[in-house]
Amino acid sequence: MSNYRLNYLDQLESESIHIFREVAGQFERPALLFSGGKDSITLVHLALKAFRPGKFPFPLVHIDTGHNFQEALDYRDALAESIGEKLIVRHVADTIQAKKLTEPKGKFASRNALQTYTLLDTIEEFQFDACIGGARRDEEKARAKERIFSVRDEFGQWNPKLQRPELWNTYNGRIDKGENVRAFPISNWTELDIWNYIRREKIELPSIYFAHEREVLEYEGQLVAVSEFVDLEPTDKISTKRVRYRTVGDMTCTAAVESSASNIDDIISEIIATKTSERGETRIDDKVSEAAMEDRKKNGYF
Amino acid sequence: MDILRFITAGSVDDGKSTLIGRLLYDSKSIMIDQLEAIEKQTKNREDGEIDLALLTDGLRAEREQGITIDVAYKYFSTPKRKFIIADAPGHIQYTRNMVTGASNSDLAIILIDARHGVVEQTRRHSIIASLLNIPRVIVAVNKMDLVNFSQDVYHNILIDYAAVAQTLGLKNVTYIPISALNGDNIVEPSTHFSWYDGKPLLQILEEVPIHNDINLTDARFPVQFVIRPQTEALHDYRGYAGKIVSGIYRKGDVVTIQPSGINTSIAAIEVGGVEVVEAFAPQSAVLHLTDDVDVSRGDLITLTDNTPQVSNELEVLLCWMDSKPLQVGSKYQLQINSRLVRAVVKEVQYKVNVNSLLQEEAPEKVQLNDIIKATIKTAAPIPYDSYQNLRVNGGAILIDETSHVTVGACMIQ
């Protein structure tokens, strides 16, 4: 701190706090989309720095696919309670029933795409005008082009060709009724930045981020947890391995990595040495096509 | 470790995307699965070389058309620094995208094709770098392999560019010969440039001093949000939350609230919930004031002995960013940091020719990508600094009142 210099984590933290406060200052009814993953946990930590000793000017909102890891759900509930903030949970299963949606089929039937319906319904139910999310630009090519304040039309759609120019640190959050903004405070953070920050700030994480024994199914080089949501066939190769999760999404579309990293230092060493990107290694849903993420975002995905 | 934000200016033809791909690849920031994805796409190419440019084109339309449409942000880091690249398209119809990318950059890399030398596009990119007041420029003379790594070719381009830099008043210009395609002089010094005694590009990027670019003299604190817990224990707590965009604030400092002009002093400062005696740019902080004065979002807290200008008439250089032409006399919203006021463009004095910097007669209709000099009148006074002196309190955006789109970028004179 001497010589009035900020290191890079302090700079990133300050930028994120600034974005949080812009959301609070510009919108009537924001919400923080909370998944239980490390990125949204980091978001909550940053929000504490931005608004304490006041309350958050928004609730935490979780769109529960019903395919979540129990560890992540337990963590979510404990966190909301310990910080004394409001948590709203909406279930994809309810949307499927109410709207007579078709459950996806297949071995790893993922409700990932169906989440969008529940999210849009929840936005409408609470009249949210801004949803704060934990997307990072380093995650994926389509995300690399998204603004920090990203406008979605009344159908929740992202139009990459009609994005507003975003200059300096000035965020234009003006919208029409029915539209909403997705705000991304950690846009400029990388996976490694997140881990270094979690280490520095001693942020607690769900246990599945650390190495543990788990029954997994090997499928095209990826390790998928054996659970009631995955259709097992007699030919499947199942074994118990020591694994951890690099990202935490649905049990059906998030793969584990073999690891013995039992603490943050070990995880950071592994990430520095890794040769595969976070999404490439652990997300089954991004592999469908080269523009998988772009297409989902256009339809209202996070 | 700190963060360097830079923009690369140049077109596909100059090898811009290849250069970025090369920086990511050679700094080992590209992962195997990302490489496999581009290898799949380059399979059909005859030469079989990996097309590093494909790494930066993120949207389907861009890959299909082989062009960059929008600003993409790319990240890599070395043990010395974290880098954020704003990758913006170079053609004239994308001037607004380059302006956007330039607005947050500490440095611009201007690419010149060694075979063509300084061309119209080089001038335009340099003019934008100077208008947006990017503190430093690296001129990278690329494709040196195609001119036999000739020192004469390089030297002549240097002389030509020095003239451009002088006209524009660009300071801190560094020159470097490279071949992005082969990685010459990018990460390691190249044996092809025995006559070049400078450092390779990545080393320059790692070592360029950026910390001095933060202004620690003119203290400016735009209020974003007022924290009032209103609980029993914190009944009187009233904290002004914002980011110190420049300068230093200390407990006890006498401050002025702009634009009201009310004076008070700083009772306490918090950073990340911890009380501190001083805070400085670019920290986010919470300020507590001694007196119970009227302060809300959009106000600017400054030190009383160093105040900005306050006016409701602004002279600006304006880059128009909307396909709908600017209407003189139309009302817009003007946003500068957290302050939002109604504004009207009163008069357009002239248009800047972005290829020559010459002033041209004001056009009847100000079109997308035009840069003009204009006078803007605001419905309430604006505390501001000149953009050339203090970028963080001299840049404003114009917002269309009905479509809510950002239609203009103003550099206040």
Side-chain angles (χ1 to χ4, degrees):
Chain A
M1 291 288 267
S2 60
N3 297 330
Y4 303 110
R5 279 183 197 220
L6 288 186
N7 80 24
Y8 77 107
L9 287 177
D10 291 319
Q11 287 182 45
L12 290 172
E13 179 190 70
S14 176
E15 179 181 278
S16 302
I17 292 172
H18 176 256
I19 295 164
F20 262 114
R21 290 169 173 170
E22 279 306 290
V23 175
Q26 292 194 36
F27 296 94
E28 304 271 324
R29 302 169 82 92
L32 190 154
L33 300 179
F34 185 81
S35 71
K38 66 181 187 318
D39 295 328
S40 58
I41 291 168
T42 302
L43 278 185
V44 170
H45 187 81
L46 290 163
L48 289 167
K49 294 210 179 199
F51 301 112
R52 285 293 186 254
K55 296 277 270 185
F56 289 178
F58 42 72
L60 310 182
V61 171
H62 183 227
I63 304 301
D64 187 346
T65 59
H67 292 174
N68 289 101
F69 289 92
Q70 190 56 45
E71 293 90 335
L73 296 179
D74 293 344
Y75 180 95
R76 172 197 76 187
D77 295 339
L79 177 70
E81 191 175 321
S82 77
I83 60 174
E85 296 290 346
K86 188 178 174 193
L87 171 70
I88 295 170
V89 180
R90 286 295 176 270
H91 300 274
V92 173
D94 295 341
T95 318
I96 291 174
Q97 205 167 30
K99 294 211 147 111
K100 309 266 185 285
L101 301 179
T102 309
E103 280 261 24
K105 298 185 181 66
K107 188 171 186 63
F108 303 107
S110 164
R111 285 179 170 172
N112 206 309
L114 295 184
Q115 272 187 94
T116 306
Y117 294 90
T118 314
L119 174 65
L120 296 181
D121 286 352
T122 310
I123 288 171
E124 205 174 304
E125 179 186 352
F126 294 94
Q127 296 289 300
F128 292 132
D129 51 5
C131 295
I132 302 159
R136 308 188 322 263
R137 286 174 176 155
D138 79 320
E139 279 180 83
E140 204 277 332
K141 288 203 284 190
R143 284 194 163 159
K145 306 229 159 176
E146 189 155 22
R147 304 293 184 256
I148 287 173
F149 272 26
S150 181
V151 180
R152 303 301 171 92
D153 67 15
E154 52 190 319
F155 301 102
Q157 298 178 108
W158 180 55
N159 187 339
K161 284 191 189 161
L162 284 182
Q163 297 201 89
R164 295 175 179 175
E166 199 163 70
L167 294 106
W168 302 294
N169 299 306
T170 310
Y171 305 109
N172 171 6
R174 293 175 66 83
I175 47 172
D176 273 325
K177 211 172 158 47
E179 293 178 333
N180 66 83
V181 161
R182 304 288 163 84
F184 302 113
I186 54 169
S187 288
N188 285 326
W189 298 52
T190 62
E191 183 190 14
L192 190 57
D193 296 335
I194 294 281
W195 283 108
N196 279 322
Y197 188 70
I198 286 170
R199 171 162 66 180
R200 188 185 85 168
E201 301 286 310
K202 302 189 171 63
I203 300 172
E204 249 186 73
L205 290 180
S207 55
I208 50 174
Y209 277 109
F210 302 97
H212 57 282
E213 303 275 324
R214 188 178 283 272
E215 215 184 359
V216 289
L217 158 69
E218 270 185 71
Y219 186 78
E220 291 185 359
Q222 292 192 312
L223 303 176
V224 186
V226 172
S227 72
E228 55 185 302
F229 313 119
V230 175
D231 270 343
L232 290 181
E233 290 156 76
T235 50
D236 283 338
K237 206 177 144 198
I238 295 169
S239 56
T240 300
K241 287 196 176 344
R242 199 158 175 77
V243 297
R244 69 177 171 85
Y245 282 87
R246 207 170 147 190
T247 66
V248 168
D250 273 9
M251 296 190 81
T252 53
C253 63
T254 314
V257 295
E258 276 199 271
S259 166
S260 57
S262 56
N263 58 52
I264 304 257
D265 287 340
D266 293 348
I267 291 175
I268 289 175
S269 307
E270 281 191 9
I271 288 169
I272 291 172
T274 189
K275 298 208 164 25
T276 319
S277 83
E278 194 178 16
R279 287 206 156 254
E281 183 167 58
T282 67
R283 286 304 174 97
I284 298 164
D285 45 335
D286 278 348
K287 294 209 162 163
V288 181
S289 85
E290 176 66 21
M293 174 66 92
E294 185 180 339
D295 292 342
R296 269 181 296 148
K297 284 182 92 72
K298 280 180 179 166
N299 288 330
Y301 189 70
F302 306 104
Chain B
M1 191 154 110
D2 55 9
I3 304 175
L4 177 76
R5 293 168 200 252
F6 67 93
I7 183 169
T8 46
S11 67
V12 182
D13 323 328
D14 297 328
K16 175 177 64 78
S17 296
T18 311
L19 172 66
I20 295 172
R22 176 58 68 184
L23 281 169
L24 298 175
Y25 187 72
D26 287 356
S27 65
K28 302 188 172 52
S29 310
I30 295 174
M31 300 298 179
I32 283 176
D33 53 310
Q34 295 166 321
L35 208 55
E36 279 172 357
I38 27 175
E39 273 171 350
K40 227 189 268 173
Q41 291 174 65
T42 24
K43 246 185 202 156
N44 304 331
R45 284 165 49 115
E46 283 172 11
D47 52 15
E49 284 276 317
I50 292 174
D51 186 357
L52 291 171
L54 286 171
L55 275 171
T56 59
D57 296 330
L59 304 174
R60 194 199 306 258
E62 293 177 323
R63 286 191 298 276
E64 282 169 4
Q65 296 166 40
I67 52 162
T68 312
I69 294 170
D70 208 334
V71 187
Y73 295 90
K74 292 281 156 194
Y75 303 81
F76 71 100
S77 52
T78 68
K80 288 185 181 156
R81 216 165 235 178
K82 173 183 164 79
F83 298 93
I84 302 179
I85 312 176
D87 175 21
H91 290 294
I92 190 157
Q93 65 266 37
Y94 298 114
T95 298
R96 70 167 187 163
N97 302 77
M98 186 179 163
V99 167
T100 302
S103 73
N104 279 324
S105 294
D106 307 308
L107 179 149
I109 297 182
I110 292 179
L111 274 163
I112 296 178
D113 186 325
R115 296 169 302 172
H116 308 310
V118 174
V119 294
E120 191 173 276
Q121 179 160 277
T122 318
R123 277 193 202 93
R124 188 172 68 251
H125 295 158
S126 306
I127 285 168
I128 292 171
S130 110
L131 289 176
L132 271 293
N133 204 13
I134 300 178
R136 55 199 87 239
V137 168
I138 294 177
V139 176
V141 182
N142 191 23
K143 306 198 181 180
M144 287 297 292
D145 51 317
L146 300 181
V147 294
N148 297 319
F149 301 98
S150 157
Q151 185 178 9
D152 285 345
V153 169
Y154 177 71
H155 190 69
N156 288 334
I157 292 174
L158 252 59
I159 292 171
D160 286 351
Y161 192 86
V164 174
Q166 197 184 7
T167 323
L168 297 178
L170 288 176
K171 296 153 285 193
N172 304 315
V173 182
T174 310
Y175 300 88
I176 181 168
I178 60 169
S179 165
L181 190 64
N182 305 316
D184 282 307
N185 225 7
I186 305 292
V187 174
E188 302 291 336
S190 164
T191 49
H192 292 120
F193 301 115
S194 51
W195 43 266
Y196 170 76
D197 56 7
K199 299 162 186 162
L201 182 61
L202 186 62
Q203 200 183 338
I204 297 176
L205 293 173
E206 282 181 325
E207 293 174 4
V208 64
I210 42 172
H211 157 248
N212 301 338
D213 298 340
I214 294 172
N215 177 318
L216 291 172
T217 314
D218 309 304
R220 305 286 182 259
F221 183 86
V223 175
Q224 296 181 266
F225 187 74
V226 183
I227 298 177
R228 291 179 61 199
Q230 290 176 305
T231 55
E232 223 160 277
L234 294 163
H235 193 266
D236 294 325
Y237 186 102
R238 195 182 175 86
Y240 299 103
K243 183 172 159 186
I244 302 170
V245 295
S246 56
I248 304 168
Y249 289 83
R250 297 184 178 90
K251 189 176 173 171
D253 276 349
V254 179
V255 294
T256 302
I257 314 303
Q258 305 287 0
S260 68
I262 296 167
N263 291 339
T264 178
S265 62
I266 295 180
I269 305 173
E270 288 172 78
V271 171
V274 179
E275 197 167 333
V276 294
V277 290
E278 65 174 4
F280 55 92
Q283 282 182 313
S284 282
V286 174
L287 300 186
H288 295 263
L289 302 176
T290 313
D291 304 294
D292 192 10
V293 292
D294 180 22
V295 183
S296 55
R297 175 175 168 84
D299 287 339
L300 186 73
I301 300 177
T302 67
L303 296 190
T304 303
D305 60 12
N306 179 333
T307 53
Q309 307 194 55
V310 181
S311 171
N312 56 4
E313 199 162 284
L314 309 171
E315 297 296 317
V316 304
L317 278 174
L318 171 64
C319 175
W320 192 250
M321 302 183 141
D322 198 29
S323 49
K324 206 166 71 183
L326 162 71
Q327 299 280 343
V328 174
S330 287
K331 292 186 182 60
Y332 297 94
Q333 294 280 341
L334 180 136
Q335 188 178 347
I336 174 167
N337 287 317
S338 58
R339 190 169 180 77
L340 186 73
V341 297
R342 288 189 96 187
V344 59
V345 179
K346 253 179 58 182
E347 193 195 347
V348 178
Q349 280 95 358
Y350 57 82
K351 177 180 163 178
V352 178
N353 181 318
V354 289
N355 292 322
S356 67
L357 204 61
L358 292 174
Q359 297 178 6
E360 293 175 352
E361 201 184 329
E364 211 161 292
K365 276 187 175 167
V366 177
Q367 308 279 6
L368 176 67
N369 295 316
D370 280 353
I371 294 178
I372 54 158
K373 169 80 191 317
T375 307
I376 291 178
K377 200 165 174 349
T378 56
I382 302 279
Y384 71 92
D385 292 271
S386 105
Y387 185 81
Q388 290 296 321
N389 290 337
L390 192 62
R391 198 147 79 128
V392 289
N393 195 41
I397 59 170
L398 282 185
I399 301 167
D400 186 299
E401 281 202 316
T402 53
S403 71
H404 308 308
V405 170
T406 303
V407 290
C410 306
M411 280 72 74
I412 306 173
Q413 301 295 287

